Amino acid sequence: MTQQGVRWTADQVLALAPDVASRRAGSKLGAAGPWFEVGSSDEGAVWGLCKGSGSKPYQTVVDIADVSGPAYKCGCPSRKFPCKHALGLLLLWVGGEVAVPVAEPPDWAEQWIVGRRERTAEKTAAGASGSAAGPGDPEAARRRAAQRAERITAGATELEQRLTDLLRGGLAGAEQAGYGLWEETAARMVDAQASGLASRVRELGAIPSSGPGWPVRLLEECALLHLLDQGWLRRERLPDGLAATVRSRVGLPASADGSPVRDRWLVLAQYDTVDARLTTRRIWLYGEETGRTALLLSYGAAGRAPEPALPVGLALEAEVSAYPGAGQRRAALGRQFAPPAPAEIRPRGVTPPQAAIGYGEALRDDPWLDSVPVTLERVVPVPDGDSWQLADADGDAALPLAPAAGNRPGLWRLVALSGGAPVKVFGECGHRGFTPLTAWPTGPGPAVPLY
């Protein structure tokens, strides 16, 4: 077979699950019992029939050769992508050719695969044609940008006054006012088309009465919000990179205008965060040749998984283009030259002290950073009272884990993988601590997702 014949690991399949319930249900279907007429092709398709509650089996097919990530089709009524049947079929495929042999696809599977790949090719061609057509009316675009900037300036000025009133009246007033005050202020920032400011204002509303020390945390976040306001109001005086960061932080959209960088990109981590309005997917990539770490961000309506979906441990040869802004890690995935395939690549790591220094240096370029991507080399997870830390196996330094990380099953997966021995861990390092996302054993072995 081609590179598609290099089968994934079970962890890589389960990393595609849209939620915990789907992961559990898919795991139960990863055995041969309910499946029949299964097969896979050299071109990267997997199919099978699964017995369900009805009289007809569910027709399930997965295209793992799509360069933007796996694509799925199933006859079940589920609205989740992938559904439990697609996950179960992939888990069965992981078992090798005995469980899922190489074969010719049946008509129902081949029709969907061929049709989908033709539509993808048409979209790619249309996108290339559209990009060559050039922009619309540049003068109209300039006027719209100027009008939006005026609205954001008005919103930032109003927000400065509200912060001033809060500090003059004392932080205790924030606790008495409740969340309504912050929601009203956030709504005003939305009206001003400053979605970034609105998001930060909403975060302020969750701090009062959130536990011991909340006044200090509220004051710190107010100071950062004030700094962002002032950055916007004085953006003409800032260096170009920092000005671009400020524009991004207040909520102005930007395009990935960096020169495309071609590399073989390892998928370091993928995870979703969900709120009432939006599902945000973060995918971290590592360039084998460049050593660069890039972040792919995508969004979906609440309850819908965004695309693409790239399992941890796979690598894809592709171009990525950076977004503007000092210290920005965000990038856009461009032209892809081969589908994702398993790889033995591992990112270069640093010690805990070097990770802390790197975060401090990143804050100089972007003071509003919550965290930076870091790979820790040869660390051991050890308890620290009621929390945990990653201790340097060759030194006397350690990084504390973020409080939220201690409540996730991934922590125990990390402890089990280590068994007291050093491991390599990729994650996000910030002022709340280190959040582990993926780990590798000291010796040979695949990446283990932790989120």
Side-chain angles (χ1 to χ4, degrees):
M1 292 180 69
T2 66
Q3 64 180 341
Q4 301 305 325
V6 182
R7 313 239 170 176
W8 301 352
T9 67
D11 282 337
Q12 288 168 343
V13 171
L14 293 175
L16 298 170
D19 51 40
V20 174
S22 297
R23 189 177 296 119
R24 291 172 179 167
S27 297
K28 295 178 181 178
L29 291 173
W35 293 97
F36 59 101
E37 295 186 21
V38 295
S40 64
S41 72
D42 289 345
E43 290 73 30
V46 186
W47 61 86
L49 300 176
C50 185
K51 298 175 183 177
S53 56
S55 57
K56 293 184 178 180
Y58 297 130
Q59 297 177 341
T60 308
V61 57
V62 181
D63 183 5
I64 59 174
D66 193 292
V67 292
S68 62
Y72 320 92
K73 184 180 186 303
C74 184
C76 74
S78 174
R79 295 184 178 181
K80 297 179 180 180
F81 294 94
C83 68
K84 63 181 181 180
H85 303 99
L87 290 170
L89 178 61
L90 286 176
L91 288 172
L92 193 65
W93 170 73
V94 163
E97 293 188 11
V98 174
V100 180
V102 177
E104 290 296 322
D107 290 343
W108 59 268
E110 185 172 19
Q111 289 175 3
W112 178 79
I113 295 166
V114 172
R116 187 181 187 285
R117 292 178 180 174
E118 288 177 349
R119 291 190 296 272
T120 300
E122 290 172 359
K123 288 180 180 179
T124 302
S129 174
S131 62
D137 184 356
E139 180 59 27
R142 187 197 63 78
R143 288 196 301 268
R144 288 194 298 270
Q147 291 170 355
R148 182 168 186 178
E150 290 176 2
R151 285 192 286 267
I152 294 175
T153 297
T157 303
E158 179 181 343
L159 182 54
E160 282 291 278
Q161 186 59 53
R162 296 203 176 198
L163 290 175
T164 301
D165 293 343
L166 171 65
L167 296 179
R168 282 177 177 169
L171 296 182
E175 188 175 26
Q176 298 168 0
Y179 190 76
L181 169 67
W182 305 103
E183 187 57 40
E184 177 194 353
T185 305
R188 295 286 296 157
M189 296 305 102
V190 172
D191 293 340
Q193 293 187 291
S195 59
L197 294 179
S199 176
R200 288 187 169 269
V201 168
R202 289 193 178 97
E203 291 175 2
L204 291 181
I207 296 177
S209 304
S210 61
W214 71 261
V216 174
R217 295 194 296 275
L218 180 60
L219 186 60
E220 290 172 345
E221 294 301 323
C222 285
L224 285 172
L225 189 52
H226 166 69
L227 182 65
L228 183 56
D229 277 342
Q230 291 300 313
W232 171 261
L233 296 173
R234 293 169 170 79
R235 61 193 180 280
E236 293 84 1
R237 308 179 194 177
L238 300 177
D240 291 343
L242 185 56
T245 298
V246 168
R247 288 194 293 269
S248 173
R249 291 297 183 183
V250 299
L252 280 177
S255 300
D257 58 2
S259 300
V261 177
R262 179 171 177 173
D263 205 338
R264 191 167 180 234
W265 298 94
L266 171 67
V267 183
L268 288 175
Q270 173 184 294
Y271 68 95
D272 297 346
T273 54
V274 182
D275 60 26
R277 302 174 180 84
L278 201 66
T279 298
T280 302
R281 171 162 293 170
R282 290 172 173 83
I283 299 177
W284 284 107
L285 303 177
Y286 173 80
E288 181 180 18
E289 297 294 331
T290 61
R292 291 179 52 176
T293 306
L295 173 65
L296 306 182
L297 278 179
S298 56
Y299 304 93
R304 298 286 293 182
E307 293 183 351
L310 299 174
V312 173
L314 298 189
L316 62 157
E317 185 157 350
E319 293 177 339
V320 301
S321 300
Y323 279 77
Q328 284 277 10
R329 301 279 185 162
R330 187 182 178 188
L333 188 61
R335 184 182 175 191
Q336 298 168 62
F337 303 95
E344 297 298 327
I345 307 169
R346 291 191 181 186
R348 293 191 289 268
V350 299
T351 64
Q354 290 171 330
I357 291 172
Y359 177 53
E361 292 174 344
L363 289 176
R364 294 183 307 189
D365 294 327
D366 186 351
W368 306 279
L369 267 178
D370 285 329
S371 60
V372 294
V374 171
T375 300
L376 295 176
E377 192 77 58
R378 290 183 55 78
V379 291
V380 181
V382 295
D384 180 25
D386 294 332
S387 58
W388 285 77
Q389 60 184 5
L390 293 176
D392 188 347
D394 304 312
D396 56 1
L399 278 180
L401 293 191
N407 300 322
R408 297 186 184 128
L411 170 62
W412 305 113
R413 203 175 302 145
L414 174 61
V415 173
L417 177 69
S418 166
V423 291
K424 174 176 285 193
V425 183
F426 170 78
E428 296 170 347
C429 180
H431 62 279
R432 297 182 181 89
F434 186 88
T435 301
L437 298 175
T438 307
W440 296 261
T442 300
V448 177
L450 304 175
Y451 195 87

